[in-house]
CSV table of all heavy atoms in Angstrom, one decimal:
chain,number,residue,atom,x,y,z
A,481,ALA,N,-15.1,-26.9,-18.3
A,481,ALA,CA,-14.8,-28.1,-19.1
A,481,ALA,C,-14.8,-29.4,-18.3
A,481,ALA,O,-15.0,-30.5,-18.9
A,481,ALA,CB,-13.4,-27.9,-19.8
A,482,LEU,N,-14.6,-29.3,-17.0
A,482,LEU,CA,-14.6,-30.5,-16.2
A,482,LEU,C,-15.9,-30.8,-15.5
A,482,LEU,O,-16.5,-31.9,-15.6
A,482,LEU,CB,-13.5,-30.4,-15.1
A,482,LEU,CG,-12.1,-30.5,-15.6
A,482,LEU,CD1,-11.1,-30.2,-14.5
A,482,LEU,CD2,-11.8,-31.8,-16.3
A,483,SER,N,-16.4,-29.8,-14.8
A,483,SER,CA,-17.6,-30.0,-14.0
A,483,SER,C,-18.9,-29.5,-14.6
A,483,SER,O,-20.0,-29.7,-14.1
A,483,SER,CB,-17.5,-29.3,-12.6
A,483,SER,OG,-17.3,-27.9,-12.7
A,484,ALA,N,-18.8,-28.8,-15.8
A,484,ALA,CA,-19.9,-28.2,-16.5
A,484,ALA,C,-20.7,-27.2,-15.6
A,484,ALA,O,-21.9,-27.0,-15.8
A,484,ALA,CB,-20.9,-29.3,-16.9
A,485,SER,N,-20.0,-26.5,-14.7
A,485,SER,CA,-20.6,-25.5,-13.9
A,485,SER,C,-20.8,-24.3,-14.8
A,485,SER,O,-19.9,-23.8,-15.5
A,485,SER,CB,-19.7,-25.1,-12.7
A,485,SER,OG,-20.2,-24.0,-12.0
A,486,SER,N,-22.0,-23.7,-14.7
A,486,SER,CA,-22.4,-22.6,-15.6
A,486,SER,C,-22.4,-21.2,-14.9
A,486,SER,O,-22.9,-20.2,-15.4
A,486,SER,CB,-23.8,-22.8,-16.2
A,486,SER,OG,-24.7,-23.0,-15.2
A,487,ASP,N,-21.9,-21.2,-13.6
A,487,ASP,CA,-21.9,-19.9,-12.9
A,487,ASP,C,-20.6,-19.1,-13.4
A,487,ASP,O,-19.5,-19.4,-13.0
A,487,ASP,CB,-21.8,-20.1,-11.4
A,487,ASP,CG,-21.9,-18.8,-10.6
A,487,ASP,OD1,-22.2,-17.8,-11.2
A,487,ASP,OD2,-21.7,-18.9,-9.4
A,488,LEU,N,-20.9,-18.1,-14.3
A,488,LEU,CA,-19.7,-17.4,-14.8
A,488,LEU,C,-19.0,-16.6,-13.8
A,488,LEU,O,-17.8,-16.3,-14.0
A,488,LEU,CB,-20.2,-16.5,-16.0
A,488,LEU,CG,-20.7,-17.2,-17.2
A,488,LEU,CD1,-21.2,-16.2,-18.2
A,488,LEU,CD2,-19.6,-18.1,-17.8
A,489,TYR,N,-19.6,-16.2,-12.7
A,489,TYR,CA,-18.9,-15.5,-11.7
A,489,TYR,C,-17.9,-16.4,-10.9
A,489,TYR,O,-17.0,-15.8,-10.2
A,489,TYR,CB,-19.8,-14.9,-10.7
A,489,TYR,CG,-20.7,-13.8,-11.3
A,489,TYR,CD1,-22.0,-14.0,-11.6
A,489,TYR,CD2,-20.1,-12.5,-11.5
A,489,TYR,CE1,-22.8,-13.0,-12.2
A,489,TYR,CE2,-20.9,-11.5,-12.0
A,489,TYR,CZ,-22.2,-11.7,-12.4
A,489,TYR,OH,-23.0,-10.7,-12.9
A,490,ASP,N,-18.0,-17.7,-11.1
A,490,ASP,CA,-17.1,-18.6,-10.4
A,490,ASP,C,-16.1,-19.2,-11.4
A,490,ASP,O,-15.3,-20.1,-11.0
A,490,ASP,CB,-17.8,-19.7,-9.7
A,490,ASP,CG,-17.0,-20.5,-8.8
A,490,ASP,OD1,-16.1,-19.9,-8.1
A,490,ASP,OD2,-17.1,-21.8,-8.7
A,491,LEU,N,-16.2,-18.9,-12.7
A,491,LEU,CA,-15.3,-19.5,-13.7
A,491,LEU,C,-14.1,-18.6,-14.0
A,491,LEU,O,-14.3,-17.3,-14.0
A,491,LEU,CB,-16.1,-19.7,-15.0
A,491,LEU,CG,-17.3,-20.8,-14.9
A,491,LEU,CD1,-17.9,-20.9,-16.2
A,491,LEU,CD2,-16.8,-22.1,-14.4
A,492,VAL,N,-13.0,-19.2,-14.4
A,492,VAL,CA,-11.8,-18.4,-14.8
A,492,VAL,C,-11.2,-19.1,-16.0
A,492,VAL,O,-11.4,-20.3,-16.2
A,492,VAL,CB,-10.8,-18.3,-13.6
A,492,VAL,CG1,-11.3,-17.5,-12.5
A,492,VAL,CG2,-10.4,-19.7,-13.1
A,493,MET,N,-10.4,-18.4,-16.7
A,493,MET,CA,-9.7,-18.9,-17.9
A,493,MET,C,-8.2,-19.0,-17.5
A,493,MET,O,-7.6,-18.0,-17.0
A,493,MET,CB,-9.9,-18.1,-19.1
A,493,MET,CG,-11.0,-18.6,-20.0
A,493,MET,SD,-10.9,-17.8,-21.7
A,493,MET,CE,-12.2,-18.8,-22.5
A,494,VAL,N,-7.6,-20.2,-17.7
A,494,VAL,CA,-6.2,-20.4,-17.4
A,494,VAL,C,-5.5,-21.0,-18.6
A,494,VAL,O,-6.2,-21.4,-19.6
A,494,VAL,CB,-6.0,-21.2,-16.2
A,494,VAL,CG1,-6.5,-20.5,-14.9
A,494,VAL,CG2,-6.7,-22.6,-16.3
A,495,ARG,N,-4.2,-21.2,-18.6
A,495,ARG,CA,-3.5,-21.9,-19.6
A,495,ARG,C,-3.8,-23.4,-19.6
A,495,ARG,O,-3.9,-24.0,-18.6
A,495,ARG,CB,-2.0,-21.6,-19.5
A,495,ARG,CG,-1.6,-20.2,-19.5
A,495,ARG,CD,-0.1,-20.1,-19.4
A,495,ARG,NE,0.4,-18.7,-19.5
A,495,ARG,CZ,1.7,-18.3,-19.5
A,495,ARG,NH1,2.6,-19.3,-19.4
A,495,ARG,NH2,2.0,-17.1,-19.6
A,496,TRP,N,-3.9,-23.9,-20.8
A,496,TRP,CA,-4.0,-25.4,-21.0
A,496,TRP,C,-2.7,-26.0,-20.7
A,496,TRP,O,-2.5,-26.9,-19.9
A,496,TRP,CB,-4.6,-25.7,-22.3
A,496,TRP,CG,-4.4,-27.2,-22.7
A,496,TRP,CD1,-3.6,-27.7,-23.6
A,496,TRP,CD2,-5.2,-28.3,-22.1
A,496,TRP,NE1,-3.8,-29.1,-23.7
A,496,TRP,CE2,-4.7,-29.4,-22.8
A,496,TRP,CE3,-6.2,-28.4,-21.2
A,496,TRP,CZ2,-5.2,-30.7,-22.5
A,496,TRP,CZ3,-6.7,-29.6,-20.9
A,496,TRP,CH2,-6.2,-30.8,-21.5
A,497,ASP,N,-1.6,-25.5,-21.4
A,497,ASP,CA,-0.3,-25.9,-21.1
A,497,ASP,C,0.5,-24.7,-20.5
A,497,ASP,O,0.7,-23.7,-21.2
A,497,ASP,CB,0.4,-26.3,-22.4
A,497,ASP,CG,1.8,-26.9,-22.2
A,497,ASP,OD1,2.2,-26.9,-21.0
A,497,ASP,OD2,2.5,-27.2,-23.2
A,498,LYS,N,0.8,-24.8,-19.2
A,498,LYS,CA,1.4,-23.6,-18.6
A,498,LYS,C,2.8,-23.3,-19.0
A,498,LYS,O,3.3,-22.2,-18.6
A,498,LYS,CB,1.4,-23.8,-17.1
A,498,LYS,CG,2.2,-25.0,-16.6
A,498,LYS,CD,2.1,-25.2,-15.1
A,498,LYS,CE,2.9,-26.4,-14.6
A,498,LYS,NZ,2.8,-26.5,-13.1
A,499,GLN,N,3.4,-24.1,-19.8
A,499,GLN,CA,4.8,-23.8,-20.3
A,499,GLN,C,4.7,-22.8,-21.4
A,499,GLN,O,5.8,-22.2,-21.7
A,499,GLN,CB,5.4,-25.1,-20.8
A,499,GLN,CG,5.5,-26.2,-19.7
A,499,GLN,CD,6.3,-25.8,-18.5
A,499,GLN,OE1,7.2,-25.0,-18.6
A,499,GLN,NE2,6.0,-26.3,-17.4
A,500,HIS,N,3.6,-22.6,-22.1
A,500,HIS,CA,3.5,-21.6,-23.2
A,500,HIS,C,2.5,-20.5,-22.8
A,500,HIS,O,1.6,-20.7,-21.9
A,500,HIS,CB,3.0,-22.3,-24.4
A,500,HIS,CG,3.8,-23.5,-24.9
A,500,HIS,ND1,5.1,-23.3,-25.4
A,500,HIS,CD2,3.6,-24.8,-24.8
A,500,HIS,CE1,5.6,-24.5,-25.7
A,500,HIS,NE2,4.8,-25.4,-25.4
A,501,GLU,N,2.7,-19.4,-23.4
A,501,GLU,CA,1.8,-18.2,-23.0
A,501,GLU,C,0.4,-18.5,-23.4
A,501,GLU,O,0.1,-19.3,-24.3
A,501,GLU,CB,2.3,-17.0,-23.7
A,501,GLU,CG,2.2,-17.0,-25.2
A,501,GLU,CD,2.5,-15.6,-25.8
A,501,GLU,OE1,2.0,-14.6,-25.3
A,501,GLU,OE2,3.2,-15.6,-26.8
A,502,TRP,N,-0.5,-17.7,-22.7
A,502,TRP,CA,-1.9,-17.9,-23.0
A,502,TRP,C,-2.3,-17.4,-24.4
A,502,TRP,O,-1.8,-16.4,-24.9
A,502,TRP,CB,-2.8,-17.1,-21.9
A,502,TRP,CG,-4.2,-17.4,-22.1
A,502,TRP,CD1,-5.0,-18.3,-21.5
A,502,TRP,CD2,-5.1,-16.6,-23.0
A,502,TRP,NE1,-6.3,-18.2,-21.9
A,502,TRP,CE2,-6.4,-17.2,-22.8
A,502,TRP,CE3,-4.9,-15.6,-23.9
A,502,TRP,CZ2,-7.5,-16.7,-23.5
A,502,TRP,CZ3,-6.0,-15.1,-24.6
A,502,TRP,CH2,-7.3,-15.7,-24.4
A,503,SER,N,-3.2,-18.2,-25.0
A,503,SER,CA,-3.8,-17.8,-26.3
A,503,SER,C,-5.1,-18.5,-26.4
A,503,SER,O,-5.4,-19.4,-25.6
A,503,SER,CB,-2.8,-18.2,-27.4
A,503,SER,OG,-2.7,-19.6,-27.4
A,504,PRO,N,-6.0,-18.0,-27.3
A,504,PRO,CA,-7.3,-18.7,-27.5
A,504,PRO,C,-7.2,-20.2,-27.8
A,504,PRO,O,-8.1,-20.9,-27.6
A,504,PRO,CB,-7.9,-17.9,-28.6
A,504,PRO,CG,-7.3,-16.5,-28.6
A,504,PRO,CD,-5.9,-16.8,-28.1
A,505,TRP,N,-6.0,-20.6,-28.3
A,505,TRP,CA,-5.8,-22.0,-28.6
A,505,TRP,C,-4.9,-22.7,-27.6
A,505,TRP,O,-4.4,-23.8,-27.8
A,505,TRP,CB,-5.2,-22.2,-30.0
A,505,TRP,CG,-4.0,-21.3,-30.3
A,505,TRP,CD1,-2.7,-21.6,-30.0
A,505,TRP,CD2,-4.1,-20.0,-30.8
A,505,TRP,NE1,-1.9,-20.5,-30.3
A,505,TRP,CE2,-2.7,-19.5,-30.8
A,505,TRP,CE3,-5.1,-19.1,-31.2
A,505,TRP,CZ2,-2.4,-18.2,-31.3
A,505,TRP,CZ3,-4.8,-17.9,-31.7
A,505,TRP,CH2,-3.4,-17.4,-31.7
A,506,ASN,N,-4.7,-22.0,-26.5
A,506,ASN,CA,-4.0,-22.6,-25.3
A,506,ASN,C,-4.7,-22.2,-24.1
A,506,ASN,O,-4.1,-21.5,-23.2
A,506,ASN,CB,-2.5,-22.2,-25.4
A,506,ASN,CG,-1.7,-22.9,-24.3
A,506,ASN,OD1,-2.0,-24.0,-23.9
A,506,ASN,ND2,-0.7,-22.2,-23.7
A,507,THR,N,-5.9,-22.5,-23.9
A,507,THR,CA,-6.7,-22.1,-22.8
A,507,THR,C,-7.7,-23.2,-22.4
A,507,THR,O,-8.0,-24.1,-23.2
A,507,THR,CB,-7.4,-20.8,-23.1
A,507,THR,OG1,-8.1,-20.3,-21.9
A,507,THR,CG2,-8.4,-20.9,-24.2
A,508,ILE,N,-8.3,-23.0,-21.2
A,508,ILE,CA,-9.3,-23.9,-20.7
A,508,ILE,C,-10.2,-23.1,-19.7
A,508,ILE,O,-9.6,-22.3,-19.0
A,508,ILE,CB,-8.8,-25.2,-20.1
A,508,ILE,CG1,-9.9,-26.2,-19.7
A,508,ILE,CG2,-7.9,-24.9,-18.9
A,508,ILE,CD1,-9.4,-27.5,-19.3
A,509,LEU,N,-11.5,-23.3,-19.7
A,509,LEU,CA,-12.4,-22.6,-18.9
A,509,LEU,C,-12.8,-23.6,-17.7
A,509,LEU,O,-13.3,-24.7,-17.9
A,509,LEU,CB,-13.7,-22.2,-19.6
A,509,LEU,CG,-14.7,-21.4,-18.8
A,509,LEU,CD1,-14.1,-20.0,-18.4
A,509,LEU,CD2,-15.9,-21.2,-19.7
A,510,LEU,N,-12.4,-23.2,-16.5
A,510,LEU,CA,-12.6,-24.0,-15.3
A,510,LEU,C,-13.1,-23.2,-14.1
A,510,LEU,O,-13.1,-21.9,-14.2
A,510,LEU,CB,-11.3,-24.7,-14.9
A,510,LEU,CG,-10.6,-25.6,-15.9
A,510,LEU,CD1,-9.3,-26.0,-15.4
A,510,LEU,CD2,-11.5,-26.9,-16.1
A,511,THR,N,-13.6,-23.8,-13.1
A,511,THR,CA,-13.9,-23.1,-11.8
A,511,THR,C,-12.6,-22.8,-11.2
A,511,THR,O,-11.5,-23.2,-11.5
A,511,THR,CB,-14.8,-24.0,-10.9
A,511,THR,OG1,-14.0,-25.2,-10.6
A,511,THR,CG2,-16.1,-24.3,-11.6
A,512,LYS,N,-12.6,-21.9,-10.1
A,512,LYS,CA,-11.4,-21.5,-9.5
A,512,LYS,C,-10.7,-22.6,-8.8
A,512,LYS,O,-9.5,-22.7,-8.9
A,512,LYS,CB,-11.8,-20.4,-8.4
A,512,LYS,CG,-12.4,-19.2,-9.0
A,512,LYS,CD,-12.7,-18.1,-8.0
A,512,LYS,CE,-13.3,-16.9,-8.6
A,512,LYS,NZ,-13.7,-15.8,-7.6
A,513,GLU,N,-11.4,-23.6,-8.1
A,513,GLU,CA,-10.8,-24.7,-7.5
A,513,GLU,C,-10.2,-25.7,-8.6
A,513,GLU,O,-9.0,-26.1,-8.4
A,513,GLU,CB,-11.8,-25.5,-6.7
A,513,GLU,CG,-12.3,-24.8,-5.4
A,513,GLU,CD,-13.3,-23.8,-5.8
A,513,GLU,OE1,-13.8,-23.8,-6.9
A,513,GLU,OE2,-13.7,-23.0,-4.9
A,514,GLU,N,-10.9,-25.9,-9.7
A,514,GLU,CA,-10.3,-26.7,-10.7
A,514,GLU,C,-9.1,-26.1,-11.4
A,514,GLU,O,-8.2,-26.8,-11.8
A,514,GLU,CB,-11.4,-27.0,-11.8
A,514,GLU,CG,-12.6,-27.8,-11.2
A,514,GLU,CD,-13.8,-27.8,-12.2
A,514,GLU,OE1,-13.7,-27.1,-13.2
A,514,GLU,OE2,-14.8,-28.5,-11.9
A,515,ALA,N,-9.2,-24.8,-11.5
A,515,ALA,CA,-8.0,-24.1,-12.1
A,515,ALA,C,-6.8,-24.2,-11.3
A,515,ALA,O,-5.7,-24.4,-11.8
A,515,ALA,CB,-8.4,-22.6,-12.4
A,516,ASP,N,-6.9,-24.1,-9.9
A,516,ASP,CA,-5.8,-24.2,-9.0
A,516,ASP,C,-5.2,-25.6,-9.2
A,516,ASP,O,-4.0,-25.8,-9.2
A,516,ASP,CB,-6.2,-24.0,-7.6
A,516,ASP,CG,-6.6,-22.5,-7.4
A,516,ASP,OD1,-6.2,-21.7,-8.2
A,516,ASP,OD2,-7.3,-22.2,-6.4
A,517,ALA,N,-6.1,-26.7,-9.2
A,517,ALA,CA,-5.6,-28.0,-9.4
A,517,ALA,C,-4.9,-28.3,-10.7
A,517,ALA,O,-3.9,-29.0,-10.9
A,517,ALA,CB,-6.7,-29.0,-9.1
A,518,HIS,N,-5.5,-27.7,-11.8
A,518,HIS,CA,-5.0,-27.9,-13.1
A,518,HIS,C,-3.6,-27.3,-13.3
A,518,HIS,O,-2.7,-27.9,-13.9
A,518,HIS,CB,-5.9,-27.2,-14.1
A,518,HIS,CG,-5.4,-27.3,-15.5
A,518,HIS,ND1,-5.5,-28.4,-16.3
A,518,HIS,CD2,-4.9,-26.3,-16.3
A,518,HIS,CE1,-4.9,-28.1,-17.5
A,518,HIS,NE2,-4.6,-26.8,-17.5
A,519,LEU,N,-3.3,-26.1,-12.7
A,519,LEU,CA,-2.0,-25.5,-12.8
A,519,LEU,C,-0.9,-26.2,-12.1
A,519,LEU,O,0.2,-25.9,-12.3
A,519,LEU,CB,-2.1,-24.0,-12.4
A,519,LEU,CG,-3.0,-23.1,-13.2
A,519,LEU,CD1,-3.1,-21.7,-12.6
A,519,LEU,CD2,-2.5,-23.0,-14.7
A,520,LYS,N,-1.3,-27.1,-11.2
A,520,LYS,CA,-0.3,-27.8,-10.4
A,520,LYS,C,0.1,-29.1,-11.2
A,520,LYS,O,1.1,-29.8,-10.7
A,520,LYS,CB,-0.8,-28.2,-9.1
A,520,LYS,CG,-1.1,-27.1,-8.1
A,520,LYS,CD,-1.7,-27.5,-6.8
A,520,LYS,CE,-2.0,-26.3,-5.9
A,520,LYS,NZ,-2.6,-26.8,-4.6
A,521,LEU,N,-0.5,-29.4,-12.3
A,521,LEU,CA,-0.2,-30.6,-13.0
A,521,LEU,C,1.1,-30.4,-13.8
A,521,LEU,O,1.4,-29.4,-14.3
A,521,LEU,CB,-1.3,-31.0,-14.0
A,521,LEU,CG,-2.7,-31.3,-13.4
A,521,LEU,CD1,-3.7,-31.5,-14.4
A,521,LEU,CD2,-2.6,-32.4,-12.4
A,522,CYS,N,1.9,-31.5,-13.9
A,522,CYS,CA,3.1,-31.5,-14.7
A,522,CYS,C,3.0,-32.2,-16.0
A,522,CYS,O,3.7,-31.8,-17.0
A,522,CYS,CB,4.3,-32.2,-13.9
A,522,CYS,SG,4.6,-31.3,-12.3
Side-chain angles (χ1 to χ4, degrees):
L482 289 175
S483 60
S485 175
S486 58
D487 186 8
L488 291 180
Y489 291 102
D490 192 42
L491 297 180
V492 292
M493 264 195 172
V494 294
R495 298 182 179 184
W496 167 251
D497 185 2
K498 62 181 180 180
Q499 303 299 330
H500 303 288
E501 68 171 312
W502 183 92
S503 61
W505 49 89
N506 183 34
T507 183
I508 184 172
L509 185 64
L510 300 170
T511 62
K512 296 179 180 179
E513 293 79 7
E514 295 169 353
D516 294 338
H518 173 79
L519 294 177
K520 294 178 182 178
L521 300 178
C522 298

